[in-house]
Amino acid sequence: MSNIDTHKNKLLNVQKRIHNACANVSRDKNSIQLIGASKTKSADLIRTFVSLGQTHFGENYLSEAIEKQANLTDLDITWHYIGQIQSNKTKLIASHFDWVHAVDRFKIAKRLNDQLDKDRPINILIQINLDNEPSKSGVKLNEALDLARQIQPLNQVRLRGLMALPKPQDNFQKQISCFTQLKNELDRINHTLNLELDTISAGMSNDLEAAIAAGSTMVRIGTDLFGTRT
Ligand SMILES: *Cc1c(COP(=O)(O)O)cnc(C)c1O
C-alpha cells in the first residue's frame, strides 16, 4: 500500500469511528469537528491530510507551529492552539491561530483580546483540569463559571466553551462520567450567565467514542491519524 493510501485509510477510519459514535447516541455526525493534533509531525504530512479533506489542525508548540504554518500559507487551514499558554506568547498565538483551547486564567484571555487584530476574532475555550493534576493546566471544574463571567465582556475574543485533557481511563463508563462533567458544566454556565456556549473540546485517539457520547463537539486526534510520535 502506498503512503497516501495509508494516510487515507487512517483518516477514513477515524471518520468512521466518529460517525459510529454519533449514530450510537443519535447525534448528527456533522456536529463533530475533527482536529488533527499534528505536534511533531511535518508540514508535508499536514499538506497530505489537507489534500485528503482534513482542514482543522491543532498544534501544541508555538515555534514549531509557526515554522510549519509558513510552509502551508497556500492552504485553507483552520489552526487550533491546543498547548499550554505562556503569557508572553499571547501576541504570537493571537496572530497565528483561529482557536485557542487552553485558556485557564483571565490574564491570558485579556491579553489575547487586546493583542488581536481588530478584524480577526478568535475563538477561545476554558480548559478544565478535571482530575486536578498538577502537571496540567486548567481551572477546577467549579472555577470555570467565574472565569467565564470575567471573560464574557471581552469583545474581541469569543468564548465558545470548554476543553479538557483528562487522565486516560481504562473503561468506557469511567470515560463517559468524566466527559459528562464537562457537558453539565457547560449547561450550567450557559444557564447561569445566559450564554450560548456551543463547544466542548474533548476526546483523543483512545476515548473519542466516550467523548462524543457525552456531548463533545471537537475531538483532537493525533496518534490514530498520523501514527505514533517519537
Ligand atoms: C497530543 C494531543 C492530542 C492527541 O492525542 P492522541 O492520543 O495522540 O490522539 C490531543 N490533545 C492535546 C492537547 C494533545 O496535546
Side-chain angles (χ1 to χ4, degrees):
M1 210 164 42
S2 76
N3 247 342
I4 182 84
D5 287 338
T6 308
H7 299 316
K8 188 172 180 178
N9 282 343
K10 288 204 158 124
L11 179 60
L12 287 175
N13 187 47
V14 169
Q15 288 169 339
K16 198 158 80 192
R17 286 174 61 194
I18 293 172
H19 297 175
N20 289 341
C22 284
N24 282 340
V25 291
S26 304
R27 290 185 61 187
D28 176 358
K29 63 186 190 326
N30 297 315
S31 66
I32 311 294
Q33 179 62 58
L34 170 59
I35 300 172
S38 45
K39 58 175 178 264
T40 79
K41 301 299 178 181
S42 68
D44 279 350
L45 187 60
I46 293 174
R47 183 175 290 279
T48 299
F49 273 83
V50 173
S51 79
L52 296 170
Q54 176 62 31
T55 55
H56 286 243
F57 294 87
E59 290 283 337
N60 293 62
Y61 308 111
L62 190 57
S63 52
E64 177 194 330
I66 290 174
E67 204 171 300
K68 288 190 254 182
Q69 288 173 343
N71 285 307
L72 299 166
T73 50
D74 56 314
L75 301 177
D76 194 9
I77 294 177
T78 301
W79 290 104
H80 298 251
Y81 188 75
I82 61 175
Q84 294 196 6
I85 305 166
Q86 294 169 273
S87 64
N88 63 348
K89 299 285 170 58
T90 48
K91 193 175 167 64
L92 276 174
I93 293 173
S95 59
H96 285 82
F97 290 88
D98 306 290
W99 287 75
V100 179
H101 287 231
V103 174
D104 65 353
R105 50 201 195 276
F106 179 69
K107 179 182 171 188
I108 298 291
K110 174 84 171 112
R111 286 175 64 96
L112 288 169
N113 187 74
D114 296 350
Q115 294 170 338
L116 203 52
D117 299 335
K118 290 284 177 276
D119 55 347
R120 201 184 143 277
I122 47 175
N123 300 293
I124 66 173
L125 302 173
I126 293 175
Q127 182 175 3
I128 313 265
N129 190 345
L130 279 175
D131 308 301
N132 298 322
E133 293 173 275
S135 64
K136 287 184 188 161
S137 41
V139 296
K140 294 194 176 116
L141 198 58
N142 64 9
E143 297 167 345
L145 178 71
D146 272 341
L147 183 53
R149 198 196 308 275
Q150 283 182 288
I151 292 175
Q152 189 186 357
L154 299 177
N155 52 20
Q156 294 295 319
V157 290
R158 290 193 190 137
L159 179 62
R160 296 291 298 272
L162 305 176
M163 176 268 201
L165 185 65
K167 279 206 285 236
Q169 299 284 352
D170 53 11
N171 80 59
F172 191 69
Q173 276 319 317
K174 281 189 201 158
Q175 291 172 353
I176 296 246
S177 57
C178 173
F179 292 125
T180 299
Q181 297 177 70
L182 281 181
K183 171 67 171 138
N184 290 344
E185 192 56 27
L186 189 83
D187 291 345
R188 190 173 80 98
I189 292 170
N190 279 336
H191 182 76
T192 311
L193 302 180
N194 197 21
L195 294 176
E196 290 178 357
L197 306 184
D198 58 4
T199 303
I200 294 178
S201 166
M204 310 199 293
S205 294
N206 289 328
D207 54 15
L208 77 86
E209 284 82 2
I212 288 172
S216 172
T217 66
M218 284 182 167
V219 293
R220 310 175 309 264
I221 309 299
T223 310
D224 285 0
L225 278 181
F226 307 123
T228 51
R229 292 176 291 272
T230 45

